[in-house]
Amino acid sequence: MSHILDIKTGGKSLNEAENVLIMIHGRGGSAQDILSLSQHLNVEDYALLAPQATNGTWYPFSFIAPTEQNEPWLSSAIETVGKTVQTALDAGIKAENIYFFGFSQGACLTLEFLARNAQKFGGAVAIIGGVIGEKINRENYKGDFAQTPIFLGTSNPDFHVPVERVYATTNILREMNADVTEKVYVNFGHSINQEQIELANSIIFK
């Protein structure tokens, strides 16, 4: 199965905005769900793009399952994020004015896309996520983030995302010249908290 490109929009129109925020929903969520979060972010002047996963999930198994078990959905999901970025670029938005926000499965997908396509972006927020694969394949990750700010927030423990994978992801992003802020909340649970929103606003959406 591959994903059908279905991008929901919000905020300013692409031809009016200088900045774009790409929002990636989690498993069982929807593009509309994650778009509604934008009202808590300092993105009033941004165009918002949120691709919808076919059947509500980007890939069928855990993000730390063997990668081949999640194919062909995973490759299609990464391609979908790439096409969403291209939609912004085609509208004349510069890469350094493209931002990302992903939660849970959407955070994993966001981080995997970014690590495979590192360049100077506006910034990224990934709440409860890490790069994808049973083992990390560092050879997949190329480019230079040129100090793109990235905020990783997570809970320890988290039922879906081991904190060790978050730490490993932070290290990879820093090796690739990203300016990473990592915050681990003890026993917070699998959700987004107010402080994460405030940190996203102060670090990324200034």
Side-chain angles (χ1 to χ4, degrees), residues 99-172:
Y99 295 76
F100 299 83
F101 188 107
F103 171 65
S104 188
Q105 195 186 53
C108 298
L109 180 58
T110 298
L111 292 165
E112 184 70 16
F113 172 83
L114 289 171
R116 289 177 183 228
N117 298 278
Q119 58 177 298
K120 176 70 173 169
F121 287 110
V125 177
I127 306 297
I128 310 184
V131 293
I132 295 172
E134 182 182 28
K135 295 186 173 65
I136 293 171
N137 184 352
R138 189 67 178 76
E139 290 178 9
N140 284 337
Y141 306 141
K142 297 179 177 66
D144 183 333
F145 281 111
Q147 288 294 292
T148 297
I150 300 177
F151 171 53
L152 300 183
T154 197
S155 173
N156 183 30
D158 181 82
F159 183 67
H160 299 287
V161 179
V163 73
E164 292 78 16
R165 179 58 62 95
V166 179
Y167 295 147
T169 300
T170 293
N171 290 338
I172 289 168

Side-chain angles (χ1 to χ4, degrees), residues 21-33:
L21 173 58
I22 294 172
M23 306 189 78
I24 311 292
H25 70 79
R27 185 191 299 271
S30 72
Q32 296 298 355
D33 287 344

Side-chain angles (χ1 to χ4, degrees), residues 18-141:
E18 286 183 24
N19 298 313
V20 169
L21 173 58
I22 294 172
M23 306 189 78
I24 311 292
H25 70 79
R27 185 191 299 271
S30 72
Q32 296 298 355
D33 287 344
I34 196 117
L35 281 172
S36 70
L37 250 183
S38 66
Q39 64 192 337
H40 303 290
L41 303 171
N42 295 336
V43 294
E44 297 81 9
D45 295 334
Y46 289 52
L48 308 175
L49 301 178
Q52 173 64 47
T54 303
N55 299 330
T57 186
W58 292 110
Y59 43 86
F61 298 106
S62 165
F63 85 114
I64 48 176
T67 302
E68 56 272 17
Q69 289 184 11
N70 277 318
E71 294 293 3
W73 299 273
L74 176 58
S75 290
S76 178
I78 294 166
E79 192 178 312
T80 295
V81 179
K83 287 176 179 173
T84 307
V85 171
Q86 194 60 49
T87 298
L89 294 171
D90 289 348
I93 307 290
K94 295 179 178 154
E96 62 256 35
N97 293 331
I98 297 175
Y99 295 76
F100 299 83
F101 188 107
F103 171 65
S104 188
Q105 195 186 53
C108 298
L109 180 58
T110 298
L111 292 165
E112 184 70 16
F113 172 83
L114 289 171
R116 289 177 183 228
N117 298 278
Q119 58 177 298
K120 176 70 173 169
F121 287 110
V125 177
I127 306 297
I128 310 184
V131 293
I132 295 172
E134 182 182 28
K135 295 186 173 65
I136 293 171
N137 184 352
R138 189 67 178 76
E139 290 178 9
N140 284 337
Y141 306 141

